[in-house]
Amino acid sequence: MQALMLLLWAGALLGPGSCQDNAGSLEDSPAPDTTGVPVEEEDPFFKVPVNKLAAAISNFGYDLYRVRSSLSPTANVLLSPLSVATALSALSLGAEQRTESTIHRALYYDLISNPDIHGTYKELLAAVTAPQKNFKSASRIIFERKLRIKSSFVAPLEKSYGTRPRILTGNSRLDLQEVNNWVQAQMKGKIARSTREIPSEISILLLGVAYFKGQWVTKFDPRKTSLEDFHLDEERTVRVPMMSDPKAILRYGLDSDLSCKIAQLPLTGSMSIIFFLPLKVTQNLTMIEESLTSEFIHDIDRELKTIQAVLTIPKLKLSYEGEVTKSLQEIKLQSLFDSPDFTKITGKPIKLTQVEHRGGFEWNEDGASTAPSTGLQPARLTFPLDYHLNQPFIFVLRDTDTGALLFIGKILDPRGI
Ligand SMILES: *[C@@H]1O[C@H](CO)[C@@H](O)[C@H](O)[C@H]1NC(C)=O
């Protein structure tokens, strides 16, 4: 069990029924057994189909993040796994049994008893990309040139995922331009055009793009933003623009098992960011990363306590453009790259060759109001608490309504290099 403790309140805050003994598992609550021993009930939150689906694809997202992070131990990671999950889920519409179940296992669909996953997915996408969320996400399946696609694949793809497959022309300049135009239109120009050529040996290319610009519930005073030290590691320090609020209201907990301080700041549109800040300066965030699951984050969300703190947080503007092909190959999906069965899409043997991700993410002082929201009453503290994001940390952007993971970042250097 994760002992998530608030500094001043001794004792575990995670109540019964929130054990983390089955990381990543989304199993339904088992039926009461014959011994009459009470069994753990599933949290009602996960009984809502859209929340359950969000938990499943978010667990895929944490898996993807872990692999990405381990592949670049000394660099920032910025990832919106939702856009990749969406492309995969859409692709599974064209997969025959064996291949379909490979994708479904990676997305944790095998733990969901929902006969209409794709219909629920449509609902989830509509929920998390509603205008007030400030979050944009789009996914696309791109096929090799001259491929003939069955209309029985295109229709359900459009219906549930609102996307049409694209077939390459074979002219790499035109194809890149078309993809760039599509990204521009989907992201309303917030993501820069790419110069990366689309390789000629593509069979199936998945593309997931996402953009988010945070609006805090309580804005930061720009006059309090100044250049401050950020500790890259135990020895090296850089100066970065750091926002601060001497009387911030945030939700907080100390996790003694993970040796980190967890804080949550609300954003407008029922969104929030959860920060994981190690007690000591370190670039090794493995322990925290290993613990990340939808269920753990949900428990944190319930158990953090509202406090007042002296808060400093770097301004952030990050972007990512590149492949997540290798990462996907490492999370149970290798067979999609070898000899998958996509005969529901076309008669020709095709396989996944590349998965591209583009993401943009930023926050600055902007927010909805200057006063803390009235719903938050800080617990009485005998001394002020400090929360300084001035060393490597992890953040999780989450939709509070559905619990969906929308962005995850490992910030080793807020300058984005
Ligand atoms: C990071 O920390 C974990 C345990 O917390 C340890 O097993 C691992 O070897 C460390 N990795 C590096 C690169 O130091």
Side-chain angles (χ1 to χ4, degrees), residues 96-108:
E96 283 295 352
Q97 227 166 20
R98 164 178 61 91
T99 301
E100 184 188 45
S101 65
T102 299
I103 299 176
H104 282 193
R105 270 199 310 276
L107 297 174
Y108 292 93

Side-chain angles (χ1 to χ4, degrees), residues 23-148:
S25 163
L26 285 168
E27 280 166 283
D28 286 309
S29 355
D33 67 12
T34 47
T35 61
V37 177
V39 292
E40 195 181 312
E41 268 292 302
E42 188 183 37
D43 191 307
F45 180 82
F46 294 118
K47 290 198 171 134
V48 180
V50 73
N51 298 353
K52 180 107 180 167
L53 178 64
I57 59 166
S58 302
N59 275 327
F60 158 82
Y62 295 117
D63 289 345
L64 183 62
Y65 165 77
R66 270 184 282 276
V67 179
R68 274 284 300 132
S69 179
S70 69
L71 291 174
S72 53
T74 56
N76 289 341
V77 172
L78 176 73
L79 187 67
S80 176
L82 177 83
S83 64
V84 180
T86 304
L88 277 170
S89 190
L91 183 65
S92 78
L93 284 169
E96 283 295 352
Q97 227 166 20
R98 164 178 61 91
T99 301
E100 184 188 45
S101 65
T102 299
I103 299 176
H104 282 193
R105 270 199 310 276
L107 297 174
Y108 292 93
Y109 290 176
D110 55 331
L111 304 176
I112 302 179
S113 50
N114 176 350
D116 185 21
I117 284 198
H118 301 290
T120 307
Y121 210 114
K122 181 179 183 168
E123 219 181 298
L124 175 63
L125 284 177
V128 299
T129 58
Q132 72 272 18
K133 303 280 181 193
N134 300 313
F135 173 72
K136 297 188 203 323
S137 178
S139 311
R140 205 179 196 201
I141 305 174
I142 299 169
F143 292 106
E144 64 190 49
R145 62 193 286 261
K146 291 190 175 163
L147 193 74
R148 294 182 63 88

Side-chain angles (χ1 to χ4, degrees), residues 225 240-243 313-317 363-365 414-415:
T225 299
V240 299
M242 198 79 92
M243 315 184 292
I313 163 173
K315 283 170 82 154
L316 211 62
K317 184 169 181 172
W363 68 55
N364 56 24
E365 293 89 350
R415 296 173 301 173

Side-chain angles (χ1 to χ4, degrees), residues 230-400:
F230 186 95
H231 305 277
L232 300 175
D233 53 32
E234 280 168 342
E235 281 118 43
R236 296 171 304 147
T237 298
V238 290
R239 305 275 284 173
V240 299
M242 198 79 92
M243 315 184 292
S244 73
D245 184 347
K247 287 185 174 172
I249 306 290
L250 46 82
R251 299 182 69 233
Y252 174 82
L254 173 74
D255 191 313
S256 52
D257 287 349
L258 301 179
S259 298
C260 77
K261 298 190 282 184
I262 304 173
Q264 182 185 42
L265 272 187
L267 295 150
T268 61
S270 294
M271 305 273 269
S272 76
I273 293 185
I274 299 178
F275 299 100
F276 294 86
L277 182 68
L279 295 175
K280 284 196 209 124
V281 177
T282 175
Q283 295 209 338
N284 184 345
L285 307 170
T286 312
M287 261 217 316
I288 299 167
E289 291 170 339
E290 290 300 327
S291 76
L292 297 175
T293 66
S294 299
E295 296 72 23
F296 179 51
I297 297 288
H298 178 71
D299 287 342
I300 287 173
D301 182 50
R302 285 189 316 183
E303 302 299 336
L304 297 177
K305 296 285 181 249
T306 302
I307 60 148
Q308 198 177 65
V310 182
L311 171 70
T312 58
I313 163 173
K315 283 170 82 154
L316 211 62
K317 184 169 181 172
L318 299 174
S319 62
Y320 174 78
E321 180 197 329
E323 281 193 54
V324 290
T325 315
K326 190 152 175 255
S327 306
L328 280 186
Q329 287 168 334
E330 291 192 14
I331 49 170
K332 309 177 231 172
L333 289 169
Q334 178 62 46
S335 68
L336 298 187
F337 298 85
D338 300 332
S339 54
D341 185 347
F342 285 118
T343 43
K344 280 176 158 176
I345 298 176
T346 181
K348 190 182 172 197
I350 50 172
K351 61 183 180 181
L352 190 54
T353 40
Q354 193 165 331
V355 185
E356 287 264 333
H357 183 50
R358 299 189 200 173
F361 184 97
E362 57 183 302
W363 68 55
N364 56 24
E365 293 89 350
D366 290 353
S369 86
T370 47
S373 74
T374 47
L376 292 175
Q377 273 307 315
R380 244 185 265 267
L381 289 181
T382 50
F383 58 89
L385 213 121
D386 284 338
Y387 201 83
H388 301 308
L389 289 156
N390 60 357
Q391 60 177 73
F393 63 92
I394 290 172
F395 76 82
V396 166
L397 171 71
R398 185 171 172 269
D399 169 42
T400 321

